[in-house]
Amino acid sequence: MAQFHFVEDYEALVSQLLHDHPLDEAMSLAVGGDYERVGAIESAILAYAGLRDGDIVFDLGCGSGRLAHALGRRHRIDYYGTDVVQALLDYAAKKSPANYRFKLNRELSIPMLPHSVDIACAFSVFTHLLQAESYVYLREMRRALKPGGRIVFSFLEFAAPEHWSVFKDTLANQHKGVNGHLNMFMERSAIDSWCERLGYERVEFIDGDAAPWGGEPLWQSLAILRKP
């Protein structure tokens, strides 16, 4: 399988952050900052999507364990997280319950058995992948999900005014000739089309500035899909 196009960039970024900052600060910055706050929001989103104690959760692009740390404080679950940088996974394991499992995975696949996962999630992951890569991951997630299992993922969309600043930053880097991280936008019509082809039911779209779970919004748009 093809490896990710940005592995070396992320390894270099994490190495530089660890050089410039104390460990906890570096690991928070590596996933965008606000480690505790955003982790709590993501945990609340999964609960809103149907997470229950005893569930098996798969977290694609788990980073330094922001979500895993929050879930461990609130739920009794089995958790499996993957990422492309080993230093992030090592930190995530230290911040999470002992039964949580973390694995380095740099392929377009998911290391889970068929029909073994209750909820799969990808927060701020498809926002940095090519569309074909996201599609393959959604196909892999469907294989891994139990019947009735759900996927929750965040995405950027041009229809959301609060996401325009991300595109402006991308444009600015383009004008400067700087190769920044890939920022990929995804439209709801495309997600619906993928659902039809992959055999998902779309449960709900949630605007980035909405928080039907109560509390704070995530500020990225959300899709909740269900395997029939």
Side-chain angles (χ1 to χ4, degrees):
M1 299 288 287
Q3 290 191 347
F4 287 105
H5 40 88
F6 52 76
V7 170
E8 291 182 0
D9 288 344
Y10 267 93
E11 286 184 329
L13 172 65
V14 172
S15 179
Q16 189 64 49
L17 289 171
L18 288 170
H19 179 270
D20 294 342
H21 304 277
L23 177 61
D24 289 344
E25 185 179 356
M27 290 292 101
S28 177
L29 290 171
V31 292
D34 290 325
Y35 192 93
E36 298 280 346
R37 184 180 67 84
V38 176
I41 294 171
E42 293 174 348
S43 175
I45 291 168
L46 292 194
Y48 173 80
L51 176 67
R52 297 171 297 181
D53 284 352
D55 278 352
I56 296 174
V57 175
F58 175 78
D59 184 7
L60 176 67
C62 65
S64 54
R66 185 165 60 183
L67 171 60
H69 175 67
L71 288 173
R73 290 182 163 185
R74 295 166 175 81
H75 299 281
R76 297 171 62 90
I77 60 171
D78 288 323
Y79 170 99
Y80 298 84
T82 62
D83 205 276
V84 298
V85 179
Q86 187 62 49
L88 297 177
L89 296 167
D90 293 342
Y91 184 83
K94 294 177 182 178
K95 297 285 286 186
S96 305
N99 69 304
Y100 282 24
R101 297 291 177 260
F102 299 91
K103 182 178 178 62
L104 184 73
N105 185 39
R106 295 175 173 177
E107 297 184 346
L108 293 177
S109 62
I110 288 174
M112 302 296 291
L113 294 173
H115 316 302
S116 64
V117 173
D118 294 291
I119 286 190
C121 60
F123 289 106
S124 297
V125 175
F126 295 164
T127 53
H128 302 299
L129 296 182
L130 300 173
Q131 289 182 339
E133 294 168 338
S134 297
Y135 185 91
V136 170
Y137 268 132
L138 286 173
R139 186 173 64 198
E140 275 285 289
M141 286 178 173
R142 191 185 190 285
R143 176 190 61 79
L145 282 176
K146 299 175 182 178
R150 295 191 173 194
I151 289 177
V152 180
F153 68 88
S154 66
F155 62 101
L156 299 170
E157 55 182 331
F158 287 113
E162 64 270 20
H163 297 170
W164 185 251
S165 62
V166 177
F167 190 64
K168 283 179 65 178
D169 291 342
T170 302
L171 285 175
N173 285 334
Q174 189 72 28
H175 288 310
K176 295 174 185 176
V178 175
N179 292 322
H181 292 304
L182 175 67
N183 292 312
M184 180 62 69
F185 283 64
M186 188 183 299
E187 299 309 312
R188 299 185 185 201
S189 60
I191 296 171
D192 280 337
S193 178
W194 290 2
C195 285
E196 181 180 352
R197 286 163 172 78
L198 291 171
Y200 284 114
E201 298 171 351
R202 190 249 294 163
V203 176
E204 188 176 2
F205 286 129
I206 301 172
D207 293 343
D209 60 355
W213 47 86
E216 296 183 76
L218 184 65
W219 294 109
Q220 288 188 8
S221 299
L222 291 161
I224 302 176
L225 314 180
R226 178 182 180 273
K227 178 180 177 177

